[in-house]
Amino acid sequence: MEKTSMIGACLLLAFSLICPAFGSAQELKPIQLLKPQLDGGRPLMQVLKERKSSREFSSEKLPVQVLSNLLWAASGINRPDSGKQTAPSAMNCQEIDIYVAAADGLYLYEVKAHLLKPVLAEDIRAMTGRQAFVKEASINLIYAADFSKMGKATNEDKEFFSAADTGFIAQNVYLYCASEGLATVVRARIDKPALAKVMGLRPDQKITLSQTVGYPKK
Ligand SMILES: Cc1cc2nc3c(=O)[nH]c(=O)nc-3n(C[C@H](O)[C@H](O)[C@H](O)COP(=O)(O)O)c2cc1C
């Protein structure tokens, strides 16, 4: 390599290390999610009968309508007057953020705008868990508790409430998937420090669980 292009490459590398935004979110476009389809779905008792964890996924992408329904079911606003959501939340802190790791990058579900906000233009699916299927499935949801939204709760309460609140969201996802014939599994086997680093999380954001969602392998 020529001396000048070598210096250029070094500068580029140094810049990308110093400035984490470089080569990241701006390459991805926000995804405006569609209105959830509220008239579909199978009867609750049948859905409960079908609810299960699956670990074999096809790589087929989820259409935007399915993604929109899924995220609304997970934690979308179901009472616009109060802004409250489909999952209960301890002290109504609404501290669980849902990140979506897809093939084209990482997004944050903005609940109020029902929109996916770009975070990182990188496929980090493989980093969302320690099991091989995570990189094959269409998406992995990453649940991250924002402790800064939990006021003066003790650290013990912050840990307990955010774990409980994540459980409700994850179960909503399980039920939607059972209703739609999608495969899903909620997961704790995650290298949390490595994942938090690549996602650029703040120290007061704590990953609780991840959940893989996709079409079942044929
Ligand atoms: C908090 C929690 C963590 C879990 N972590 C993992 C995991 O890391 N990997 C995995 O394959 N399954 C994981 N599971 C799924 C369980 O293994 C699964 O729910 C259990 O075997 C019962 O199966 P079922 O969901 O089909 O009823 C987890 C479930 C929960 C509730």
Side-chain angles (χ1 to χ4, degrees):
M1 197 189 278
E2 267 183 43
K3 199 176 165 192
T4 45
S5 42
M6 183 94 140
I7 293 167
C10 288
L11 282 173
L12 198 64
L13 178 69
F15 183 59
S16 63
L17 288 173
I18 295 163
C19 177
F22 176 75
S24 59
Q26 63 266 51
E27 291 167 28
L28 272 188
K29 289 199 170 63
I31 300 175
Q32 181 60 61
L33 296 169
L34 305 173
K35 268 192 168 179
Q37 293 167 310
L38 303 183
D39 51 358
R42 294 163 55 208
L44 178 63
M45 296 306 264
Q46 278 178 34
V47 167
L48 287 168
K49 188 170 172 289
E50 301 287 326
R51 204 268 341 139
K52 64 177 181 194
S53 297
S54 307
R55 296 174 185 83
E56 291 191 9
F57 297 85
S58 102
S59 55
E60 188 183 342
K61 270 185 150 189
L62 299 181
V64 176
Q65 183 67 66
V66 172
L67 197 55
S68 308
N69 294 350
L70 173 82
L71 289 165
W72 183 84
S75 188
I77 293 176
N78 66 353
R79 287 152 294 165
D81 290 353
S82 61
K84 288 187 176 178
Q85 300 171 214
T86 56
S89 168
M91 301 187 303
N92 195 27
C93 291
Q94 309 292 357
E95 78 284 4
I96 306 298
D97 288 320
I98 305 180
Y99 288 85
V100 180
D104 62 341
L106 178 71
Y107 298 85
L108 172 65
Y109 177 42
E110 295 268 5
V111 175
K112 281 197 184 108
H114 195 48
L115 176 135
L116 285 179
K117 184 177 141 191
V119 176
L120 192 67
E122 217 179 291
D123 183 356
I124 64 155
R125 286 176 298 170
M127 296 198 67
T128 67
R130 299 180 190 270
Q131 292 161 282
F133 60 77
V134 299
K135 62 179 184 301
E136 280 141 30
S138 177
I139 59 165
N140 288 275
L141 304 176
I142 302 149
Y143 303 120
D146 186 345
F147 279 12
S148 75
K149 292 183 182 163
M150 301 185 83
K152 292 197 173 112
T154 61
N155 273 344
E156 198 183 345
D157 279 347
K158 285 179 182 172
E159 301 270 354
F160 178 71
F161 292 157
S162 60
D165 291 347
T166 301
F168 294 112
I169 295 172
Q171 179 71 348
N172 284 355
V173 170
Y174 264 111
L175 296 179
Y176 176 75
C177 289
S179 175
E180 290 301 309
L182 295 171
T184 190
V185 61
V186 73
R187 297 178 290 95
R189 280 175 62 195
I190 307 165
D191 182 345
K192 289 185 183 177
L195 181 55
K197 192 170 174 201
V198 75
M199 290 171 70
L201 297 186
R202 304 184 314 270
D204 55 1
Q205 285 182 289
K206 311 282 181 193
I207 294 167
T208 50
L209 291 169
S210 181
Q211 187 161 8
T212 309
V213 179
Y215 288 102
K217 201 169 212 162
K218 283 179 195 128

